[in-house]
Amino acid sequence: MRALTVDLAQAGSLSLSELPDPVPGPDDLLVEGLAVGICATDREIVRGEFGVGRRLVIGHESLGRVISGPGFAPGSLVAGVVRRPDPVPCVACARGEFDMCRNGRYTERGITGLDGYASTLWTVPAAYAVGVSSPTGVLVEPASVVVKAWERLDRLALFPFESVLVTGAGPIGLLAALIGVQRGLDVHVFDLATDGPKPALVESLGATYHRELPDCPVVIEATGAPSLVARLLGRDLVCLTGVPSTEVVPADIGQANRDLVLRNGIVFGTVNANVRHYREASAVLDRADDGWLSAMITRRVPLESFAEAFEHRPDDVKVVLEL
């Protein structure tokens, strides 16, 4: 099989390699790899900024077609779950909540300790595979992240709310906005782009696009920009999904503390997802307009031109590498 591999100890080592075909176990699916989505984490791995140790097959946003295995008909489209529980297990993993692992000894396909999905063949335990219905199913993994964010918002909200602000119109932000629209909420999306696909994607979704930060008490933050996060800390309920850079910004932590206490505010972070989130993400995509989802994928790159998929271009929203 052909696979995209990277030496985690060497920046810029991304290469297309010939590897032995995987051998499925009795509980595994054998899957023909069709596509992987490329995100900032993949680019960090390729630049040598994330991960330690061995050569790794990368790719965690997956789409494949089942060849054989239990629970799925041959020809079915599937996506693979990324994280696996730690072996100890911690209190969260022992309860099946491995996306909330407390000791950090989890593994993740294509990121930490396990080969990923950027290969022309891969295997996955059937219990960690989720059925999808179309080629836009490659968006299931990022959608699962925001499904989990919404699940936690529901649990933590101290009051019913009718509107939500999403900061950032990248894939995570757009999918968070999609779920808000599906819930019948008044959705506002803040981003700095003045042209390109982002404003049109937001408006065609039925949400409102802003270039100035509107006043909404409930926020899903999807940029990871520290200066923006600092401006949001006084809101009533803030979900942080973006992973920040090392930028140092001035912030009045005392004022943020005061605002949170006096407003009974909540700020929390969320990352990764469990199997149930993937299943709900697949349902979210099924309910969405497939043309809108397809428009989110602004570039599809063939495997032979793999290096182009890891270039960040100004009009990129989601880049997909076709295997």
Side-chain angles (χ1 to χ4, degrees), residues 35-266:
V36 289
I38 304 301
C39 75
T41 298
D42 298 299
R43 296 187 181 100
E44 290 173 357
I45 291 171
V46 169
R47 293 195 300 264
E49 298 171 3
F50 187 87
V52 293
R54 62 184 180 88
R55 179 163 287 276
L56 184 76
V57 177
I58 64 168
H60 60 280
E61 299 181 8
S62 61
L63 176 70
R65 181 181 293 113
V66 173
I67 297 172
S68 62
F72 291 86
S76 301
L77 296 178
V78 294
V81 175
V82 174
R83 185 172 287 194
R84 302 292 183 271
D86 74 73
V88 174
C90 72
V91 63
C93 290
R95 297 175 59 190
E97 302 291 338
F98 52 83
D99 56 308
M100 302 291 288
C101 182
R102 307 323 297 161
N103 64 17
R105 294 181 63 181
Y106 57 82
T107 51
E108 293 177 312
R109 295 286 297 258
I111 302 175
T112 305
L114 294 174
D115 283 336
Y117 298 110
S119 57
T120 53
L121 286 174
W122 41 269
T123 61
V124 63
Y128 289 96
V130 175
V132 301
S133 62
S134 81
T136 56
V138 72
L139 298 172
V140 160
E141 192 279 336
S144 72
V145 173
V146 290
V147 164
K148 176 181 174 181
W150 277 102
E151 177 186 86
R152 299 191 71 196
L153 277 172
D154 289 339
R155 292 177 178 176
L156 294 171
L158 303 175
F159 49 87
F161 55 92
E162 297 179 352
S163 65
V164 65
L165 168 63
V166 177
T167 54
I172 294 293
L174 288 169
L175 291 167
L178 168 66
I179 294 174
V181 169
Q182 289 184 348
R183 288 171 166 230
L185 298 176
D186 181 20
V187 178
H188 300 265
V189 178
F190 167 76
D191 197 278
L192 297 178
T194 57
D195 52 21
K198 291 181 177 181
L201 282 165
V202 171
E203 290 162 6
S204 64
L205 185 61
T208 305
Y209 187 84
H210 299 266
R211 297 182 188 89
E212 299 291 336
L213 198 62
D215 184 17
C216 285
V218 177
V219 183
I220 297 177
E221 205 299 301
T223 70
S227 56
L228 178 56
V229 171
R231 296 173 63 188
L232 297 171
L233 292 181
R235 306 291 177 104
D236 291 347
L237 180 57
V238 180
C239 172
L240 305 177
T241 68
V243 179
S245 67
T246 55
E247 175 191 8
V248 177
V249 298
D252 188 341
I253 298 300
Q255 184 61 51
N257 188 339
R258 179 182 177 84
D259 290 343
L260 283 167
V261 170
L262 294 181
R263 294 174 66 87
N264 290 291
I266 298 172

